[in-house]
Amino acid sequence: MLTKEINSTLIPTLKKYFGYDSFRDQQLAIIESVLSKKDNLVIMPTGGGKSVCFQLPALLFEGITLVISPLIALMKDQVDGLTANGIPADFFNSSQLSSAQNGIFDKVINKEIKLLYVAPESLALLENILNEKHISCIAIDEAHCISTWGHDFRPSYQQLGFLKKLLPNTPIIALTATADKATRQDIVDQLNIPNATQFLSSFDRKNIELEVRPANDRVSQIIKFINKKPKEAGIIYCLSRKSTEQLASKLNQNGIKAAAYHAGLSFGERTKTQEDFLFDKTQVICATIAFGMGIDKSNVRWVIHFNMPKNIEGYYQEIGRCGRDGIKANAILFHSYADVIQLRKFAEGASNEEVQLAKLERMQQFSEATTCRRKILLSYFGELLSDNCGNCDVCKNPPQFFDGTTIAQKALSVIARLKESEATGIVIDVLRGANNATIIDKGYDKLKSHGVGKDISWRDWQQYIIQLINQGICEIAFHKHNALQLTIFSQKVLFENKQVHLTYPVTIAEKAVIQKELRETKVKKDSLFERLRKLRHQISLEENIPAYLVFSDAALKEMERARPMSEAEFLKISGVGQRKLEVYGNEFIAEMVSFINEKVQKKDDTYKVTYELYKEGLSIEEISEKRDLKSATIFSHLAKLYADGKDINIYDFVTKEEVEQVLKAKEALESPEALKPYFDYFKEEMDYSKIRLALTILNS
Ligand code: ADP
Ligand code: MG
């Protein structure tokens, strides 16, 4: 059991080293369990905050915490993050020189570090420190790699069972985002920790907006999306290596810094690509699922699935890589039937074909949902949401149903006339009365129903047919070249007039959105956030660490909002711990002060400009037009300039009689400071500008 003393140090330690004021979800319970030397299995979604669960206890243990992590390439990043927080840590790997390795042993023996990261392959080399004198805790990150059930199986993870035997009293904490039972059991069995306490956290990542779009013109949709967020990093997942390369090159042609990442690249190339992404040198990574494990870049703002993922676990893990900092992030999935067909082919013939197909089906149901998508996702992980999330495309834009019986009948009759032998493309061509070579060759232009659906666009037909398939009104025969076929429901629709409800196809009101966002980016350009981001970038170059390790986007956003002007206030920002206050505090506070001073300066300048135009003899209307400001604003400038003693013929704008009237009002009114009471007093017959000018005269 924990003593009260330790317990009461946890929050201050969290703040001091990590800069956070409170624990998330189960973090506290997990940390207490680790500190009481129990074994633990932690299941938390990607981005949920697993690292703190072993990094914080590491600070309180006597010896070091050994962290087993699968990816050598990313250990440096994790160690840099800890160092930036003032936590001494290092990593050990086989590529280091033996002198460097000896240096690390010394650090362990002299208790100079709190955490040591190591890949399972290198454990054997740690022989002389692998004992309970030096090691207080063992964390096994990405623990699902141990299981052949998991999707990232790594043989080297399977030898880890020896750790418990060698260090029986050292607590083990295994962490993963993979929730399925088989994998969990496997982890516990193989690590020899049968009594591990299991912590299963909520899988809800509320800040990620979920969206599914039809896959038409994917590339141009993606380019438009990225152009609206020119500084935001994102990941695009593709099904094949080739498509990652093609997409990256198209993005580059369009001026977007993108790189491809897949297992076919050399280790060096992959490391470089990863690093450029972490350092914001590459904005977009087009990757296969090989990319992402262990990437803790907190300012990935979006994830796009160019193709449909194989299952919901994969999808959720991948989208979890955006918005780790807890602020708004976007996940967009492009849905196409071609992908479904492709994925089915992959699954067929696999040893666990049935399972794979069932998982694919759940994924498809999610993509085609007409109810809250988050509810569907979370229910997959056994969590039930009572309310709709309000942060998915279905919640934001609930589908509108209409009577689609005639549309359905038209489609079904074409399918019937084509003898259930053609795939969606040809069915739509016939519906739309196309006269292309295939249609004429096959004589489909002679069919009675050729052209019955002319009035509906190709794209809309495609979506209606998907809806019909989802409702079981027709189906795809995957084994017969994906031909559309009739079902028992088809008969009811065709011959018994069974009603069919369809929803209007999604139209993305891109134009309106772009206009709005363009305006927003214009405003954002000289925002405090941008200034802080620049400063962060500069520091990241100087220190050679990724920008998000200096401060997360969330921390910068909070600084923008709170504008801390003293060290004490700066420390209150979530994400600012003791070391970051000491190292970066002054610079950031100075930046905020100068930003605010410039704003004041700009205000002074604006009066100057108005004064100069006024002296040139321009009328109020002309000044207002020239400066693109309201005339009321120009009047207020003149009032200020007059009050400051500038040479303004103020009686050109307000008569002596009006000033007298205002004076009377001033004596009569109860609260003569505000303008509104005057306006009411004059029954709205004297405008605000005149009132203001008269008051200026009276007050000066
Ligand atoms: P995981 O390993 O579960 O994918 P991480 O440990 O990388 O997630 O944490 C994700 C993000 O959440 C990190 O940026 C981390 O700093 C942040 N975080 C963790 N715990 C907290 C907390 N208690 N309050 C605020 N942010 C936190
Ligand atoms: Mg992690």
Side-chain angles (χ1 to χ4, degrees):
M1 270 281 105
L2 274 180
T3 63
K4 274 221 175 78
E5 203 182 324
I6 292 181
N7 221 338
S8 65
T9 64
L10 295 182
I11 293 266
T13 310
L14 179 72
K15 180 63 195 168
K16 181 174 174 198
Y17 289 98
F18 300 90
Y20 304 130
D21 301 309
S22 57
F23 287 106
R24 279 186 188 161
D25 211 21
Q26 303 220 55
Q27 284 175 335
L28 180 61
I30 297 165
I31 289 168
E32 286 176 342
S33 178
V34 173
L35 287 172
S36 67
K37 305 212 163 176
K38 287 191 200 132
D39 294 326
N40 303 281
L41 172 59
V42 172
I43 320 281
M44 216 186 258
T46 306
K50 289 187 282 295
S51 321
V52 168
C53 300
F54 58 85
Q55 290 173 346
L56 193 149
L59 289 161
L60 304 174
F61 280 128
E62 170 79 13
I64 63 156
T65 292
L66 194 63
V67 186
I68 318 281
S69 163
L71 297 166
I72 295 175
L74 291 162
M75 284 180 194
K76 182 173 179 306
D77 188 52
Q78 318 233 7
V79 170
D80 284 345
L82 288 164
T83 312
N85 280 331
I87 302 171
D90 215 327
F91 59 90
F92 181 97
N93 71 46
S94 49
S95 67
Q96 285 164 322
L97 296 174
S98 64
S99 59
Q101 293 181 343
N102 287 334
I104 291 164
F105 294 141
D106 289 344
K107 284 187 195 171
V108 173
I109 292 161
N110 300 329
K111 301 196 191 322
E112 285 164 24
I113 53 173
K114 282 286 161 197
L115 295 109
L116 180 64
Y117 281 73
V118 60
E121 297 84 355
S122 306
L123 273 175
L125 299 169
L126 293 183
E127 214 178 357
N128 54 341
I129 55 157
L130 265 187
N131 56 56
E132 297 195 324
K133 186 171 160 225
H134 296 115
I135 293 175
S136 294
C137 179
I138 298 170
I140 299 174
D141 207 4
E142 315 286 359
H144 59 280
C145 292
I146 210 168
S147 171
T148 45
W149 289 104
H151 34 83
D152 290 310
F153 172 60
R154 284 171 195 244
S156 63
Y157 257 68
Q158 283 198 313
Q159 38 143 323
L160 294 177
F162 85 96
L163 286 168
K164 192 76 222 175
K165 289 183 191 149
L166 189 66
L167 310 166
N169 301 311
T170 307
I172 288 185
I173 170 172
L175 310 102
T176 175
T178 303
D180 73 77
K181 281 199 185 116
T183 308
R184 264 190 265 169
Q185 195 54 50
D186 229 9
I187 294 173
V188 169
D189 290 346
Q190 296 206 42
L191 290 178
N192 294 316
I193 47 169
N195 300 321
T197 315
Q198 299 203 12
F199 294 91
L200 188 64
S201 294
S202 165
F203 267 61
D204 199 359
R205 297 275 317 277
K206 295 186 179 68
N207 62 313
I208 303 178
E209 181 177 338
L210 306 169
E211 186 183 350
V212 179
R213 297 185 185 181
N216 312 61
D217 299 329
R218 269 177 268 212
V219 177
S220 57
Q221 286 196 58
I222 290 174
I223 291 171
K224 269 187 205 158
F225 175 83
I226 299 175
N227 282 339
K228 280 186 267 163
K229 306 169 177 297
K231 288 188 181 148
E232 298 186 353
I235 306 171
I236 306 176
Y237 283 104
C238 305
L239 207 52
S240 71
R241 295 176 182 186
K242 203 167 139 202
S243 53
T244 63
E245 285 174 1
Q246 285 169 341
L247 184 58
S249 108
K250 273 185 205 144
L251 295 183
N252 279 308
Q253 282 160 21
N254 281 277
I256 296 164
K257 279 190 193 149
Y261 183 105
H262 55 73
L265 300 173
S266 70
F267 177 76
E269 284 168 312
R270 274 181 287 151
T271 309
K272 165 100 173 61
T273 305
Q274 226 162 40
E275 198 141 282
D276 284 350
F277 184 60
L278 299 184
F279 277 85
D280 298 325
K281 289 178 196 157
T282 301
Q283 188 194 353
V284 179
I285 296 287
C286 305
T288 58
I289 54 171
F291 180 77
M293 187 171 52
I295 296 268
D296 292 341
K297 183 177 165 72
S298 71
N299 62 342
V300 175
R301 293 261 65 88
W302 52 266
V303 167
I304 290 179
H305 281 89
F306 191 81
N307 302 101
M308 193 157 98
K310 275 194 282 204
N311 53 46
I312 287 186
E313 287 98 331
Y315 170 72
Y316 208 58
Q317 205 139 79
E318 282 142 25
I319 67 168
R321 292 177 184 135
C322 68
R324 279 170 184 265
D325 50 14
I327 56 178
K328 188 178 152 26
N330 291 82
I332 300 177
L333 162 69
F334 286 106
H335 174 35
S336 92
Y337 255 82
D339 288 348
V340 177
I341 291 165
Q342 182 86 19
L343 289 168
R344 285 190 70 94
K345 275 196 197 136
F346 288 157
E348 279 160 9
S351 57
N352 57 349
E353 172 177 335
E354 226 168 297
V355 179
Q356 287 200 26
L357 288 176
K359 288 191 170 190
L360 177 59
E361 203 161 298
R362 292 290 293 271
M363 189 64 228
Q364 205 180 334
Q365 281 163 1
F366 165 82
S367 315
E368 292 158 1
T370 49
T371 55
C372 174
R373 289 198 209 273
R374 202 172 310 266
K375 269 192 174 165
I376 300 179
L377 270 187
L378 292 177
S379 79
Y380 185 86
F381 296 109
E383 239 175 286
L384 300 177
L385 270 191
S386 52
D387 293 320
N388 289 339
C389 76
N391 197 22
C392 71
D393 53 343
V394 180
C395 285
K396 287 189 169 170
N397 205 351
Q400 295 185 319
F401 289 93
F402 66 95
D403 181 354
T405 313
T406 319
I407 290 178
Q409 286 169 340
K410 285 179 182 172
L412 296 177
S413 71
V414 166
I415 295 171
R417 296 211 183 254
L418 292 172
K419 302 203 168 59
E420 304 179 53
S421 65
E422 296 290 355
T424 311
I426 297 221
V427 171
I428 297 178
D429 275 350
V430 174
L431 277 162
R432 304 226 342 110
N435 282 313
N436 57 39
T438 319
I439 298 292
I440 292 170
D441 279 356
K442 296 194 167 184
Y444 291 160
D445 53 330
K446 312 247 161 39
L447 292 177
K448 207 175 139 217
S449 40
H450 182 253
V452 287
K454 260 201 184 79
D455 52 328
I456 293 172
S457 72
W458 216 94
R459 202 180 146 143
D460 288 359
W461 266 122
Q462 206 179 15
Q463 293 200 34
Y464 289 142
I465 289 176
I466 290 176
Q467 292 182 36
L468 294 176
I469 297 169
N470 291 340
Q471 296 181 38
I473 293 169
C474 59
E475 64 187 11
I476 292 188
F478 292 105
H479 303 284
K480 296 181 189 159
H481 305 291
N482 309 314
L484 286 180
Q485 306 210 307
L486 302 178
T487 67
I488 41 168
F489 286 135
S490 316
Q491 309 302 328
K492 291 192 174 148
V493 174
L494 278 172
F495 306 115
E496 295 165 30
N497 231 8
K498 179 185 149 52
Q499 248 206 349
V500 177
H501 296 284
L502 294 176
T503 66
Y504 290 109
V506 194
T507 46
I508 300 155
E510 206 83 52
K511 227 175 171 176
V513 178
I514 288 179
Q515 294 255 321
K516 188 169 162 269
E517 303 235 345
L518 270 183
R519 246 181 291 132
E520 279 174 9
T521 34
K522 209 171 143 194
V523 179
K524 274 183 205 150
K525 243 190 179 159
D526 58 313
S527 67
L528 180 53
F529 181 75
E530 271 320 311
R531 291 275 292 267
L532 297 176
R533 173 143 67 179
K534 267 202 193 124
L535 174 60
R536 178 178 73 173
H537 180 66
Q538 202 185 316
I539 293 175
S540 108
L541 294 180
E542 284 163 13
E543 300 198 356
N544 197 27
I545 56 171
Y548 64 91
L549 291 184
V550 178
F551 282 122
S552 70
D553 281 6
L556 296 192
K557 280 254 149 75
E558 204 183 319
M559 288 178 205
E560 181 181 41
R561 216 172 29 239
R563 302 192 173 186
M565 295 284 140
S566 66
E567 291 198 353
E569 284 173 27
F570 194 72
L571 191 58
K572 284 192 193 136
I573 302 289
S574 175
V576 178
Q578 195 57 39
R579 180 177 180 274
K580 289 193 177 167
L581 169 71
E582 281 161 19
V583 183
Y584 307 126
N586 283 339
E587 262 178 291
F588 277 83
I589 293 173
E591 190 66 28
M592 283 181 274
V593 170
S594 78
F595 178 82
I596 289 166
N597 284 343
E598 280 165 33
K599 277 266 140 101
V600 174
Q601 176 70 35
K602 266 193 195 143
K603 263 234 159 99
D604 284 350
D605 290 347
T606 189
Y607 295 124
K608 240 186 242 163
V609 175
T610 297
Y611 187 51
E612 252 139 48
L613 294 173
Y614 171 78
K615 280 205 304 197
E616 279 173 29
L618 269 63
S619 71
I620 301 296
E621 288 71 33
E622 285 165 336
I623 300 176
S624 123
E625 193 164 305
K626 199 154 199 166
R627 299 213 55 197
D628 198 17
L629 292 171
K630 289 202 186 105
S631 53
T633 309
I634 305 299
F635 275 117
S636 75
H637 288 179
L638 293 182
K640 166 92 166 62
L641 289 162
Y642 178 82
D644 288 350
K646 291 281 183 310
D647 185 15
I648 306 284
N649 291 327
I650 204 154
Y651 288 107
D652 288 352
F653 311 111
V654 58
T655 64
K656 292 221 159 92
E657 291 71 39
E658 285 164 335
V659 178
E660 302 264 305
Q661 286 174 327
V662 172
L663 178 60
K664 260 191 208 150
K666 192 176 178 186
E667 283 157 358
L669 286 172
E670 269 180 38
S671 50
E673 296 80 25
L675 295 183
K676 178 88 171 36
Y678 290 89
F679 192 61
D680 295 339
Y681 179 92
F682 294 118
K683 305 207 165 57
E684 305 187 0
E685 275 175 14
M686 188 182 305
D687 63 40
Y688 277 106
S689 298
K690 280 187 193 273
I691 300 170
R692 188 197 298 276
L693 291 171
L695 284 173
T696 309
I697 294 170
L698 291 171
N699 293 337
S700 61

